[in-house]
Amino acid sequence: AQTVTQSQPEMSVQEAETVTLSCTYDTSESNYYLFWYKQPPSRQMILVIRQEAYKQQNATENRFSVNFQKAAKSFSLKISDSQLGDTAMYFCAFIADTGRRALTFGSGTRLQVQP
Amino acid sequence: DAGITQSPRHKVTETGTPVTLRCHQTENHRYMYWYRQDPGHGLRLIHYSYGVKDTDKGEVSDGYSVSRSKTEDFLLTLESATSSQTSVYFCAISAGGGNTEAFFGQGTRLTVV
């Protein structure tokens, strides 16, 4: 069974600064995918970024980038130039390429961007 | 936006009563999921479906049942609601394959009193 751990329940950052959210996971699978989802106060789940485990290059999407360390089973999210609209819960998620095709989520990190 | 609708959006029910939540999709996606979200736990998988009449349990399936008689509908039933089932419930859909994005409904806030 897979597990996903987010050890930072809450974080705060000043507008325009950079913040990094941590995520570690445990799996015996060799091929899998990792995701970061954002949940603003509206409760909508929004995909921020995805990473394929077989790719060494870290994924980037505009101000969002990841630091994927496969050997360490670590998958952190870096948000650059933080904006007030980034205030949300952020969830790290995992899905294996075989077996059960369902996302396993971490417990989430609540990010507050301060003006 | 992906065509996925949950109903109802809010519900208050009494302990011991049956409750059914509906998820409807217009994307013809193969996979459908029910998750519950509770503070400190993130989203936890209740049940999922990988085709019509094909379902399987997740980590927190006790007290819940599901049915999928059509591709577009996935029903979650609480046979006899308990206060521990007070939560926000999310339906999600996916075309399949690990890389495929999962799309989520707006969530249903269920309160059992």
Side-chain angles (χ1 to χ4, degrees):
Chain A
Q2 288 76 229
T3 60
V4 178
T5 302
Q6 294 179 248
S7 58
Q8 306 154 312
E10 295 184 358
M11 295 191 72
S12 181
V13 64
Q14 293 295 125
E15 199 174 3
E17 293 188 346
T18 296
V19 64
T20 299
L21 281 57
S22 301
C23 173
T24 58
Y25 59 94
D26 190 21
T27 183
S28 58
E29 299 285 340
S30 58
N31 199 25
Y32 49 87
Y33 304 85
L34 296 160
F35 304 83
W36 280 98
Y37 278 85
K38 169 184 178 181
Q39 186 183 46
S42 67
R43 210 163 67 190
Q44 182 64 44
M45 293 289 287
I46 302 165
L47 178 65
V48 175
I49 198 165
R50 67 163 64 92
Q51 174 79 42
E52 295 87 346
Y54 61 86
K55 288 187 178 179
Q56 293 185 335
Q57 185 174 6
N58 289 324
T60 61
E61 288 287 343
N62 300 314
R63 297 182 296 107
F64 299 88
S65 62
V66 298
N67 183 5
F68 174 48
Q69 301 290 328
K70 190 172 183 179
K73 295 181 180 174
S74 171
F75 182 61
S76 60
L77 174 69
K78 185 171 81 171
I79 305 174
S80 305
D81 186 25
S82 296
Q83 301 175 358
L84 296 178
D86 296 333
T87 292
M89 282 289 290
Y90 287 82
F91 294 100
C92 179
F94 169 104
I95 189 169
D97 201 25
T98 59
R100 192 182 77 177
R101 298 293 182 90
L103 289 166
T104 299
F105 286 87
S107 56
T109 296
R110 184 176 301 281
L111 177 66
Q112 181 72 44
V113 180
Q114 306 284 355
Chain B
D1 291 344
I4 176 170
T5 305
Q6 290 184 230
S7 59
R9 294 290 310 280
H10 303 272
K11 187 172 181 64
V12 180
T13 191
E14 291 186 350
T15 299
T17 60
V19 177
T20 296
L21 307 183
R22 181 182 184 235
C23 179
H24 179 76
Q25 62 148 329
T26 58
E27 304 295 325
N28 200 36
H29 281 353
R30 177 183 177 190
Y31 289 84
M32 298 187 75
Y33 310 88
W34 278 108
Y35 288 88
R36 61 177 288 174
Q37 182 179 9
D38 304 288
H41 292 279
L43 279 76
R44 294 180 292 175
L45 183 68
I46 305 171
H47 284 280
Y48 72 104
S49 170
Y50 46 96
V52 173
K53 298 192 189 307
D54 292 323
T55 65
D56 203 354
K57 296 179 179 180
E59 288 84 18
V60 292
S61 60
D62 287 349
Y64 302 95
S65 62
V66 290
S67 66
R68 190 173 179 195
S69 59
K70 299 184 291 184
T71 298
E72 57 267 34
D73 288 326
F74 192 34
L75 304 180
L76 176 70
T77 297
L78 290 66
E79 300 291 345
S80 178
T82 67
S83 58
S84 65
Q85 294 176 311
T86 293
S87 186
V88 178
Y89 292 85
F90 283 95
C91 177
I93 62 174
S94 171
N99 193 29
T100 305
E101 179 177 355
F103 299 93
F104 287 80
Q106 292 287 87
T108 296
R109 181 173 294 278
L110 176 67
T111 303
V112 183
V113 298

